[in-house]
Short mmCIF file of all heavy atoms in Angstrom, two decimals:
data_model
loop_
_atom_site.label_atom_id
_atom_site.label_comp_id
_atom_site.label_asym_id
_atom_site.label_seq_id
_atom_site.Cartn_x
_atom_site.Cartn_y
_atom_site.Cartn_z
N ALA Z 1 4.75 -11.17 -10.93
CA ALA Z 1 5.62 -10.49 -11.88
C ALA Z 1 6.46 -9.42 -11.21
O ALA Z 1 7.57 -9.11 -11.65
CB ALA Z 1 4.79 -9.88 -13.01
N ALA Z 2 5.92 -8.85 -10.12
CA ALA Z 2 6.65 -7.83 -9.36
C ALA Z 2 7.51 -8.43 -8.26
O ALA Z 2 8.12 -7.70 -7.48
CB ALA Z 2 5.66 -6.82 -8.75
N GLY Z 3 7.53 -9.77 -8.17
CA GLY Z 3 8.36 -10.45 -7.19
C GLY Z 3 7.82 -10.40 -5.78
O GLY Z 3 8.60 -10.36 -4.82
N ALA Z 4 6.50 -10.39 -5.64
CA ALA Z 4 5.90 -10.27 -4.31
C ALA Z 4 4.83 -11.35 -4.11
O ALA Z 4 4.17 -11.76 -5.07
CB ALA Z 4 5.27 -8.89 -4.13
N PRO Z 5 4.63 -11.80 -2.87
CA PRO Z 5 3.59 -12.79 -2.59
C PRO Z 5 2.20 -12.14 -2.56
O PRO Z 5 2.08 -10.93 -2.33
CB PRO Z 5 3.97 -13.31 -1.20
CG PRO Z 5 4.67 -12.15 -0.56
CD PRO Z 5 5.41 -11.45 -1.66
N ALA Z 6 1.18 -12.94 -2.78
CA ALA Z 6 -0.20 -12.43 -2.81
C ALA Z 6 -0.82 -12.51 -1.42
O ALA Z 6 -1.67 -13.36 -1.14
CB ALA Z 6 -1.03 -13.21 -3.82
N THR Z 7 -0.40 -11.64 -0.53
CA THR Z 7 -0.99 -11.56 0.81
C THR Z 7 -2.19 -10.62 0.76
O THR Z 7 -2.35 -9.85 -0.20
CB THR Z 7 0.04 -11.01 1.82
OG1 THR Z 7 0.34 -9.65 1.45
CG2 THR Z 7 1.32 -11.83 1.79
N PRO Z 8 -3.06 -10.65 1.77
CA PRO Z 8 -4.19 -9.69 1.77
C PRO Z 8 -3.73 -8.25 1.62
O PRO Z 8 -4.33 -7.47 0.88
CB PRO Z 8 -4.84 -9.95 3.14
CG PRO Z 8 -4.57 -11.39 3.41
CD PRO Z 8 -3.18 -11.61 2.88
N ARG Z 9 -2.66 -7.89 2.29
CA ARG Z 9 -2.16 -6.51 2.21
C ARG Z 9 -1.63 -6.20 0.80
O ARG Z 9 -1.93 -5.15 0.24
CB ARG Z 9 -1.07 -6.32 3.26
CG ARG Z 9 -0.47 -4.90 3.30
CD ARG Z 9 0.52 -4.82 4.45
NE ARG Z 9 1.43 -3.70 4.34
CZ ARG Z 9 1.29 -2.54 4.98
NH1 ARG Z 9 0.25 -2.36 5.79
NH2 ARG Z 9 2.17 -1.57 4.85
N SER Z 10 -0.86 -7.12 0.24
CA SER Z 10 -0.29 -6.85 -1.09
C SER Z 10 -1.37 -6.88 -2.17
O SER Z 10 -1.27 -6.16 -3.17
CB SER Z 10 0.82 -7.85 -1.42
OG SER Z 10 0.31 -9.17 -1.52
N LEU Z 11 -2.42 -7.68 -1.98
CA LEU Z 11 -3.52 -7.69 -2.95
C LEU Z 11 -4.22 -6.33 -2.97
O LEU Z 11 -4.58 -5.83 -4.05
CB LEU Z 11 -4.52 -8.79 -2.59
CG LEU Z 11 -4.09 -10.23 -2.90
CD1 LEU Z 11 -5.03 -11.22 -2.24
CD2 LEU Z 11 -4.03 -10.47 -4.41
N ILE Z 12 -4.42 -5.75 -1.80
CA ILE Z 12 -5.03 -4.42 -1.73
C ILE Z 12 -4.11 -3.39 -2.39
O ILE Z 12 -4.57 -2.51 -3.14
CB ILE Z 12 -5.32 -4.03 -0.28
CG1 ILE Z 12 -6.51 -4.83 0.27
CG2 ILE Z 12 -5.60 -2.54 -0.16
CD1 ILE Z 12 -7.85 -4.43 -0.33
N ILE Z 13 -2.82 -3.48 -2.12
CA ILE Z 13 -1.87 -2.54 -2.73
C ILE Z 13 -1.93 -2.66 -4.24
O ILE Z 13 -1.98 -1.65 -4.97
CB ILE Z 13 -0.44 -2.81 -2.22
CG1 ILE Z 13 -0.33 -2.49 -0.73
CG2 ILE Z 13 0.57 -2.00 -3.02
CD1 ILE Z 13 1.00 -2.89 -0.10
N ALA Z 14 -1.96 -3.90 -4.75
CA ALA Z 14 -2.00 -4.10 -6.21
C ALA Z 14 -3.30 -3.57 -6.80
O ALA Z 14 -3.30 -2.98 -7.89
CB ALA Z 14 -1.84 -5.58 -6.52
N ALA Z 15 -4.41 -3.79 -6.10
CA ALA Z 15 -5.69 -3.30 -6.59
C ALA Z 15 -5.70 -1.78 -6.64
O ALA Z 15 -6.16 -1.17 -7.63
CB ALA Z 15 -6.83 -3.81 -5.71
N LEU Z 16 -5.21 -1.13 -5.60
CA LEU Z 16 -5.16 0.33 -5.57
C LEU Z 16 -4.20 0.87 -6.63
O LEU Z 16 -4.47 1.89 -7.27
CB LEU Z 16 -4.72 0.81 -4.19
CG LEU Z 16 -5.71 0.57 -3.04
CD1 LEU Z 16 -5.07 0.96 -1.71
CD2 LEU Z 16 -7.00 1.35 -3.25
N ALA Z 17 -3.09 0.14 -6.86
CA ALA Z 17 -2.09 0.60 -7.83
C ALA Z 17 -2.64 0.59 -9.25
O ALA Z 17 -2.14 1.33 -10.11
CB ALA Z 17 -0.85 -0.28 -7.74
N SER Z 18 -3.66 -0.24 -9.51
CA SER Z 18 -4.24 -0.28 -10.85
C SER Z 18 -5.21 0.86 -11.09
O SER Z 18 -5.67 1.08 -12.21
CB SER Z 18 -4.97 -1.62 -11.06
OG SER Z 18 -6.11 -1.71 -10.23
N GLU Z 19 -5.53 1.62 -10.01
CA GLU Z 19 -6.52 2.69 -10.11
C GLU Z 19 -5.95 4.06 -9.77
O GLU Z 19 -6.50 5.08 -10.18
CB GLU Z 19 -7.68 2.41 -9.15
CG GLU Z 19 -8.36 1.06 -9.35
CD GLU Z 19 -9.23 0.68 -8.17
OE1 GLU Z 19 -9.22 1.43 -7.16
OE2 GLU Z 19 -9.94 -0.34 -8.26
N GLN Z 20 -4.85 4.09 -8.99
CA GLN Z 20 -4.36 5.36 -8.45
C GLN Z 20 -2.86 5.50 -8.68
O GLN Z 20 -2.16 4.52 -8.92
CB GLN Z 20 -4.66 5.44 -6.95
CG GLN Z 20 -6.14 5.32 -6.60
CD GLN Z 20 -6.38 5.19 -5.12
OE1 GLN Z 20 -5.45 5.29 -4.32
NE2 GLN Z 20 -7.61 4.97 -4.73
N ALA Z 21 -2.40 6.74 -8.57
CA ALA Z 21 -0.96 7.01 -8.69
C ALA Z 21 -0.22 6.43 -7.48
O ALA Z 21 -0.81 6.22 -6.41
CB ALA Z 21 -0.72 8.52 -8.78
N VAL Z 22 1.06 6.20 -7.66
CA VAL Z 22 1.88 5.58 -6.62
C VAL Z 22 1.82 6.37 -5.32
O VAL Z 22 1.63 5.81 -4.24
CB VAL Z 22 3.34 5.45 -7.11
CG1 VAL Z 22 4.27 5.11 -5.95
CG2 VAL Z 22 3.44 4.39 -8.20
N ASP Z 23 1.98 7.68 -5.41
CA ASP Z 23 1.99 8.49 -4.19
C ASP Z 23 0.64 8.45 -3.47
O ASP Z 23 0.58 8.47 -2.23
CB ASP Z 23 2.36 9.93 -4.52
CG ASP Z 23 3.83 10.07 -4.89
OD1 ASP Z 23 4.61 9.15 -4.59
OD2 ASP Z 23 4.20 11.10 -5.50
N GLU Z 24 -0.44 8.40 -4.24
CA GLU Z 24 -1.77 8.33 -3.63
C GLU Z 24 -1.95 7.01 -2.89
O GLU Z 24 -2.51 6.97 -1.79
CB GLU Z 24 -2.84 8.49 -4.70
CG GLU Z 24 -4.27 8.41 -4.18
CD GLU Z 24 -4.61 9.50 -3.18
OE1 GLU Z 24 -4.00 10.59 -3.24
OE2 GLU Z 24 -5.49 9.26 -2.33
N VAL Z 25 -1.49 5.91 -3.49
CA VAL Z 25 -1.56 4.61 -2.81
C VAL Z 25 -0.75 4.65 -1.52
O VAL Z 25 -1.22 4.20 -0.47
CB VAL Z 25 -1.05 3.48 -3.74
CG1 VAL Z 25 -1.04 2.15 -2.98
CG2 VAL Z 25 -1.91 3.38 -4.99
N ALA Z 26 0.44 5.19 -1.58
CA ALA Z 26 1.30 5.25 -0.40
C ALA Z 26 0.65 6.06 0.71
O ALA Z 26 0.81 5.72 1.90
CB ALA Z 26 2.65 5.85 -0.78
N ARG Z 27 -0.09 7.10 0.36
CA ARG Z 27 -0.75 7.92 1.39
C ARG Z 27 -1.82 7.14 2.13
O ARG Z 27 -2.16 7.49 3.28
CB ARG Z 27 -1.34 9.18 0.76
CG ARG Z 27 -0.32 10.28 0.55
CD ARG Z 27 -0.99 11.62 0.26
NE ARG Z 27 -1.64 11.63 -1.04
CZ ARG Z 27 -1.02 12.00 -2.16
NH1 ARG Z 27 0.24 12.38 -2.13
NH2 ARG Z 27 -1.68 12.01 -3.31
N ARG Z 28 -2.40 6.12 1.50
CA ARG Z 28 -3.42 5.31 2.19
C ARG Z 28 -2.80 4.48 3.31
O ARG Z 28 -3.50 4.05 4.23
CB ARG Z 28 -4.12 4.38 1.19
CG ARG Z 28 -4.85 5.11 0.08
CD ARG Z 28 -5.98 5.96 0.61
NE ARG Z 28 -6.67 6.69 -0.43
CZ ARG Z 28 -7.77 6.26 -1.05
NH1 ARG Z 28 -8.29 5.09 -0.73
NH2 ARG Z 28 -8.33 6.99 -1.97
N PHE Z 29 -1.52 4.23 3.23
CA PHE Z 29 -0.81 3.45 4.26
C PHE Z 29 -0.02 4.44 5.11
O PHE Z 29 1.20 4.55 5.02
CB PHE Z 29 0.09 2.42 3.59
CG PHE Z 29 -0.67 1.35 2.86
CD1 PHE Z 29 -1.19 1.60 1.60
CD2 PHE Z 29 -0.89 0.11 3.44
CE1 PHE Z 29 -1.93 0.63 0.93
CE2 PHE Z 29 -1.61 -0.87 2.77
CZ PHE Z 29 -2.13 -0.61 1.51
N ASP Z 30 -0.76 5.15 5.96
CA ASP Z 30 -0.17 6.29 6.67
C ASP Z 30 0.24 6.00 8.11
O ASP Z 30 0.77 6.87 8.80
CB ASP Z 30 -1.13 7.48 6.63
CG ASP Z 30 -2.47 7.18 7.31
OD1 ASP Z 30 -2.64 6.06 7.86
OD2 ASP Z 30 -3.35 8.07 7.28
N GLY Z 31 -0.03 4.79 8.58
CA GLY Z 31 0.35 4.47 9.96
C GLY Z 31 -0.46 5.19 11.01
O GLY Z 31 -0.07 5.23 12.19
N SER Z 32 -1.59 5.76 10.62
CA SER Z 32 -2.45 6.45 11.58
C SER Z 32 -3.09 5.46 12.53
O SER Z 32 -2.98 4.24 12.38
CB SER Z 32 -3.53 7.25 10.84
OG SER Z 32 -4.30 6.41 10.00
N ARG Z 33 -3.82 5.96 13.51
CA ARG Z 33 -4.34 5.12 14.57
C ARG Z 33 -5.17 3.95 14.05
O ARG Z 33 -5.04 2.82 14.51
CB ARG Z 33 -5.19 5.97 15.53
CG ARG Z 33 -5.77 5.18 16.69
CD ARG Z 33 -6.62 6.05 17.59
NE ARG Z 33 -7.23 5.30 18.68
CZ ARG Z 33 -8.15 5.77 19.48
NH1 ARG Z 33 -8.58 7.03 19.34
NH2 ARG Z 33 -8.66 5.03 20.45
N PHE Z 34 -6.04 4.20 13.09
CA PHE Z 34 -6.89 3.14 12.54
C PHE Z 34 -6.50 2.74 11.12
O PHE Z 34 -7.19 1.95 10.49
CB PHE Z 34 -8.36 3.58 12.57
CG PHE Z 34 -8.88 3.86 13.94
CD1 PHE Z 34 -9.15 5.15 14.35
CD2 PHE Z 34 -9.07 2.83 14.85
CE1 PHE Z 34 -9.62 5.41 15.62
CE2 PHE Z 34 -9.53 3.07 16.13
CZ PHE Z 34 -9.81 4.38 16.52
N GLY Z 35 -5.42 3.30 10.64
CA GLY Z 35 -4.97 2.99 9.28
C GLY Z 35 -3.92 1.89 9.26
O GLY Z 35 -3.42 1.46 10.31
N PRO Z 36 -3.56 1.42 8.08
CA PRO Z 36 -2.53 0.38 7.97
C PRO Z 36 -1.13 0.95 8.18
O PRO Z 36 -0.90 2.15 8.04
CB PRO Z 36 -2.70 -0.12 6.53
CG PRO Z 36 -3.27 1.06 5.79
CD PRO Z 36 -4.11 1.81 6.78
N ALA Z 37 -0.22 0.08 8.54
CA ALA Z 37 1.17 0.49 8.74
C ALA Z 37 1.74 1.05 7.45
O ALA Z 37 1.34 0.65 6.35
CB ALA Z 37 2.00 -0.70 9.21
N PRO Z 38 2.68 1.99 7.54
CA PRO Z 38 3.29 2.55 6.33
C PRO Z 38 3.97 1.46 5.49
O PRO Z 38 4.38 0.42 6.01
CB PRO Z 38 4.32 3.54 6.88
CG PRO Z 38 3.85 3.87 8.26
CD PRO Z 38 3.20 2.61 8.77
N LEU Z 39 4.07 1.73 4.20
CA LEU Z 39 4.77 0.81 3.31
C LEU Z 39 6.25 0.72 3.71
O LEU Z 39 6.88 1.76 3.97
CB LEU Z 39 4.68 1.28 1.86
CG LEU Z 39 3.27 1.41 1.26
CD1 LEU Z 39 3.37 1.95 -0.17
CD2 LEU Z 39 2.52 0.09 1.29
N ASP Z 40 6.78 -0.48 3.76
CA ASP Z 40 8.21 -0.61 4.00
C ASP Z 40 8.95 -0.49 2.66
O ASP Z 40 8.33 -0.32 1.60
CB ASP Z 40 8.54 -1.92 4.73
CG ASP Z 40 8.09 -3.16 3.96
OD1 ASP Z 40 7.99 -3.09 2.72
OD2 ASP Z 40 7.82 -4.19 4.61
N GLU Z 41 10.26 -0.60 2.71
CA GLU Z 41 11.06 -0.40 1.49
C GLU Z 41 10.71 -1.42 0.42
O GLU Z 41 10.61 -1.09 -0.77
CB GLU Z 41 12.55 -0.47 1.82
CG GLU Z 41 13.06 0.71 2.63
CD GLU Z 41 14.57 0.64 2.83
OE1 GLU Z 41 15.22 -0.19 2.16
OE2 GLU Z 41 15.10 1.42 3.64
N ALA Z 42 10.51 -2.67 0.83
CA ALA Z 42 10.18 -3.71 -0.14
C ALA Z 42 8.82 -3.45 -0.78
O ALA Z 42 8.65 -3.64 -2.00
CB ALA Z 42 10.20 -5.08 0.53
N GLU Z 43 7.86 -3.01 0.02
CA GLU Z 43 6.53 -2.73 -0.52
C GLU Z 43 6.54 -1.51 -1.44
O GLU Z 43 5.83 -1.48 -2.45
CB GLU Z 43 5.54 -2.53 0.62
CG GLU Z 43 5.21 -3.81 1.38
CD GLU Z 43 4.31 -3.56 2.57
OE1 GLU Z 43 4.43 -2.47 3.19
OE2 GLU Z 43 3.51 -4.45 2.90
N ARG Z 44 7.32 -0.52 -1.10
CA ARG Z 44 7.41 0.65 -1.96
C ARG Z 44 8.04 0.28 -3.30
O ARG Z 44 7.60 0.74 -4.36
CB ARG Z 44 8.24 1.74 -1.27
CG ARG Z 44 8.30 3.04 -2.06
CD ARG Z 44 6.93 3.66 -2.19
NE ARG Z 44 6.89 4.69 -3.21
CZ ARG Z 44 6.40 5.91 -3.00
NH1 ARG Z 44 5.91 6.23 -1.81
NH2 ARG Z 44 6.38 6.79 -3.97
N ALA Z 45 9.07 -0.57 -3.26
CA ALA Z 45 9.68 -1.03 -4.50
C ALA Z 45 8.69 -1.86 -5.31
O ALA Z 45 8.61 -1.74 -6.54
CB ALA Z 45 10.94 -1.84 -4.19
N MET Z 46 7.91 -2.70 -4.61
CA MET Z 46 6.88 -3.49 -5.28
C MET Z 46 5.85 -2.59 -5.94
O MET Z 46 5.43 -2.81 -7.08
CB MET Z 46 6.20 -4.41 -4.26
CG MET Z 46 5.01 -5.19 -4.81
SD MET Z 46 4.04 -5.95 -3.48
CE MET Z 46 3.19 -4.52 -2.79
#
């Protein structure tokens, strides 16, 4: 419905989005050494 494929990364984003605010979800993708890469523009829009 959001126009995105169901990849492992996007499934986690969708699961977190159902529980947390947008900014909090984005902070989990911080690009830190052991963390996931930051959200790109398409993912932020999603």
Side-chain angles (χ1 to χ4, degrees):
T7 65
R9 181 176 162 99
S10 65
L11 286 168
I12 287 289
I13 293 173
L16 292 174
S18 68
E19 304 165 354
Q20 302 171 5
V22 167
D23 288 343
E24 179 62 27
V25 176
R27 279 194 291 270
R28 299 296 178 94
F29 294 79
D30 61 3
S32 57
R33 181 181 177 190
F34 298 109
L39 300 177
D40 58 27
E41 290 185 11
E43 289 175 327
R44 184 64 195 231
M46 174 193 74

